[in-house]
Amino acid sequence: MSTNWWDKSTEAVKHWWSLERHGLGDSEEKPVITEKENTTEKVVSNSNWLNMDAIHSIESNQGKNPNIYNKDGSYKPNPKSGTIGEYQIKPDTFTDPGAGLVKLGATKLPNYMTASTQEHRKFAENYILSLEKYFRNEYTYKEKMSPGLLDYEALAIAAYSRGIGTIKKLVKTHGSKRWREHVKDDPGATETYLNKYNNFNKENNTGFKQVQMSTEQQYG
C-alpha cells in the first residue's frame, strides 16, 4: 500500500524542499530544524538567507568607492570610522570578533591589511552568520516583551552595521516591534541599512528572502 510521503514530512523538510525547487537550496545545507535538549528547545538555523552581494553593494558600491584603496592599492582606513576594505570592517573586529562569536562560527583574520578582498568577504560572511546565531540564542527565551516577533537575520545585519551593543539597547528600549526605528546617535541609520539590503535583493531579483519589513507592513 502506497503512502503519501509529503503529508508525513515534517515542516522542516517541506521548507527545505521548497528552497530546492526555487533554486535557493544548497546540497550541503540541512533543513531548518529544532532539537530537544534537556527539555529546552535548541534552534538550529541555516545560512541560505544571507546575500553577501547585497552587503558588498551597501558597503563599497561594488568596490568602486574611491576611499577604500590608496593609490598603491593598499587598504585606506575610513577617516570617520576606521573601517577598511570593501566590506568596511574595523581592524579590531578582524582580530577579535568578540562576544563569544568565534564559538558561533566567526573567524579571526590577523593579517587583514594584506588579506585579499575575498578573504575579507569570507570573514564578513562568517561574522554576520555568527551574529544571527548570537541573537537567536540571546532572545529565543529571554525576550519577553513580544516573543516571536524578532527577526534574527535583521538583527544580525543591523549589528554588522551598528554593533551588537547598539542593537541590543534598541530592542531593550523600544521593544521587538519598534527597535528598527530608533538609533540614538544617527536616527534612521539602522532602518536605512536594512532597507538597502532588501532593495538590492528586490531590484536584482536575487531570490534571497527579505529581512523584517517595516512595522506597519508586517504587523499593521
Side-chain angles (χ1 to χ4, degrees):
M1 182 174 64
S2 62
T3 59
N4 190 330
W5 66 270
W6 178 259
D7 289 340
K8 293 186 177 181
S9 297
T10 64
E11 289 301 317
V13 173
K14 289 180 181 179
H15 174 74
W16 173 82
W17 182 259
S18 295
L19 290 177
E20 288 294 315
R21 288 186 62 195
H22 290 87
L24 300 179
D26 187 325
S27 59
E28 296 182 356
E29 291 290 344
K30 301 297 189 296
V32 178
I33 60 174
T34 58
E35 300 173 349
K36 295 293 183 178
E37 183 175 73
N38 297 328
T39 70
T40 300
E41 188 177 69
K42 178 182 177 182
V43 179
V44 181
S45 62
N46 66 46
S47 60
N48 285 330
W49 65 272
L50 178 59
N51 186 357
M52 288 305 297
D53 288 339
I55 299 296
H56 185 231
S57 176
I58 296 170
E59 296 291 355
S60 71
N61 188 26
Q62 303 298 351
K64 298 176 182 178
N65 187 332
N67 296 317
I68 293 176
Y69 298 103
N70 293 307
K71 291 182 178 180
D72 63 1
S74 61
Y75 293 118
K76 180 180 181 180
N78 186 306
K80 291 184 179 181
S81 63
T83 53
I84 67 167
E86 296 185 18
Y87 294 87
Q88 290 295 283
I89 301 166
K90 289 185 176 181
D92 57 355
T93 301
F94 278 118
T95 57
D96 182 16
L101 297 182
V102 172
K103 294 181 180 179
L104 296 173
T107 54
K108 297 182 180 181
L109 191 64
N111 61 328
Y112 57 87
M113 288 301 290
T114 57
S116 67
T117 297
Q118 192 60 35
E119 288 176 295
H120 281 201
R121 180 186 179 97
K122 189 62 179 178
F123 174 91
E125 179 180 17
N126 290 338
Y127 184 64
I128 295 173
L129 292 175
S130 69
L131 285 169
E132 188 268 346
K133 292 178 183 177
Y134 172 84
F135 284 115
R136 190 176 290 275
N137 292 338
E138 180 75 11
Y139 290 122
T140 299
Y141 301 105
K142 296 179 182 178
E143 178 58 39
K144 302 298 183 182
M145 56 190 80
S146 296
L149 295 180
L150 284 166
D151 186 323
Y152 304 113
E153 295 152 5
L155 288 166
I157 293 174
Y160 179 78
S161 172
R162 306 297 297 167
I164 292 178
T166 296
I167 302 308
K168 288 181 66 176
K169 185 179 294 184
L170 289 176
V171 175
K172 182 177 180 180
T173 303
H174 302 288
S176 58
K177 290 185 181 181
R178 300 283 181 176
W179 67 271
R180 281 179 55 168
E181 302 171 10
H182 304 274
V183 177
K184 182 178 180 181
D185 61 341
D186 189 7
T190 302
E191 181 69 13
T192 298
Y193 197 92
L194 292 168
N195 283 340
K196 286 181 178 179
Y197 179 87
N198 283 339
N199 288 338
F200 181 92
N201 287 332
K202 182 178 180 180
E203 292 169 5
N204 292 277
N205 193 27
T206 64
F208 282 87
K209 70 162 286 185
Q210 305 293 288
V211 295
Q212 184 183 74
M213 301 302 289
S214 70
T215 304
E216 289 73 19
Q217 288 177 304
Q218 188 164 358
Y219 304 116

